[in-house]
């Protein structure tokens, strides 16, 4: 039995996936410079070698500390890593599994919207349950794609 990927692949679905992943990766990558910005702004560093621009000695050790703003952005970044990376892998397979364009578009847009809203809800911060619900939407979208992949694999 020969598997012909062209039988399953829709280029429109794949290109929508690529656009969403590029957007999500750029969003996730922007968390690093944002963390650095808040570290400098709030003078909150975790590594002694980062203090060299502020001088030497005991007086600069006060900058070796955690800061709530920095930690909030770090948690946004960590949450992005925990959710966007699995979505990227699963979404790639999903984009070539024969999903209809409208269904794939719905999955991808819901995930992107959930991640953007999650970031906003975490950064501002918005009251609970905004952030957990945004996370849940993204998580359910990813599992919905896993279910489709599982069903396709059973039919092969």
């Amino acid at each position: 039995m020969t598997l012909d990927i062209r039988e399953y692949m829709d280029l429109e679905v794949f290109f929508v996936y690529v656009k969403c992943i590029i957007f999500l990766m750029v969003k996730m990558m922007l968390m690093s410079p944002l963390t650095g910005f808040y570290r400098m702004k709030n003078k909150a560093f975790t590594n002694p070698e980062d203090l060299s621009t502020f001088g030497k000695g005991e007086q600069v050790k006060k900058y070796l500390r955690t800061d709530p703003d920095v930690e909030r952005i770090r948690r946004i970044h960590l949450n992005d890593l925990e959710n966007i990376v699995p979505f990227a892998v699963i979404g790639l397979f999903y984009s070539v599994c024969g999903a209809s364009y409208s269904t794939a578009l719905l999955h991808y847009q819901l995930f992107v919207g959930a991640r953007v809203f999650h970031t906003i809800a975490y950064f501002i911060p918005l009251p609970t349950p905004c952030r957990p619900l945004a996370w849940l939407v993204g998580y359910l979208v990813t599992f919905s794609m896993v279910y489709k992949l599982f069903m396709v694999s059973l039919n092969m």
Side-chain angles (χ1 to χ4, degrees):
M1 179 173 127
T2 304
L3 178 66
D4 185 4
I5 194 77
R6 292 172 295 188
E7 183 179 322
Y8 291 95
M9 188 169 180
D10 179 349
L11 281 178
E12 282 187 278
V13 171
F14 180 72
F15 288 136
V16 167
Y17 162 77
V18 169
K19 288 176 187 175
C20 289
I21 285 302
I22 289 170
F23 177 82
L24 288 168
M25 291 298 170
V26 169
K27 176 219 164 306
M28 187 168 58
M29 289 170 59
L30 288 174
M31 292 297 111
S32 292
L34 190 60
T35 302
F37 171 78
Y38 273 88
R39 280 196 189 286
M40 294 299 288
K41 176 182 172 231
N42 298 349
K43 294 185 175 85
F45 301 95
T46 56
N47 301 311
E49 62 271 17
D50 297 337
L51 300 176
S52 63
T53 58
F54 297 102
K56 295 190 188 273
E58 293 298 314
Q59 66 199 27
V60 296
K61 287 191 177 179
K62 65 183 176 187
Y63 301 128
L64 283 176
R65 62 186 180 85
T66 58
D67 178 80
D69 295 334
V70 173
E71 291 305 308
R72 180 170 292 279
I73 296 166
R74 287 184 67 243
R75 287 190 303 271
I76 293 169
H77 194 184
L78 181 60
N79 196 276
D80 277 351
L81 287 167
E82 293 169 351
N83 289 276
I84 292 173
V85 172
F87 172 81
V89 174
I90 292 164
L92 176 62
F93 291 119
Y94 183 79
S95 73
V96 295
C97 79
S100 72
Y101 177 78
S102 60
T103 303
L105 183 64
L106 179 65
H107 278 87
Y108 297 153
Q109 287 178 337
L110 276 173
F111 188 84
V112 169
R115 292 312 308 167
V116 169
F117 186 72
H118 180 272
T119 298
I120 292 167
Y122 216 139
F123 189 73
I124 288 179
L126 294 177
T128 302
C130 294
R131 182 172 45 90
L133 285 176
W135 172 84
L136 182 63
V137 168
Y139 213 68
L140 291 175
V141 165
T142 303
F143 270 101
S144 175
M145 293 187 307
V146 168
Y147 176 77
K148 168 70 173 174
L149 290 169
F150 180 72
M151 297 309 289
V152 167
S153 70
L154 289 178
N155 293 326
M156 293 183 137

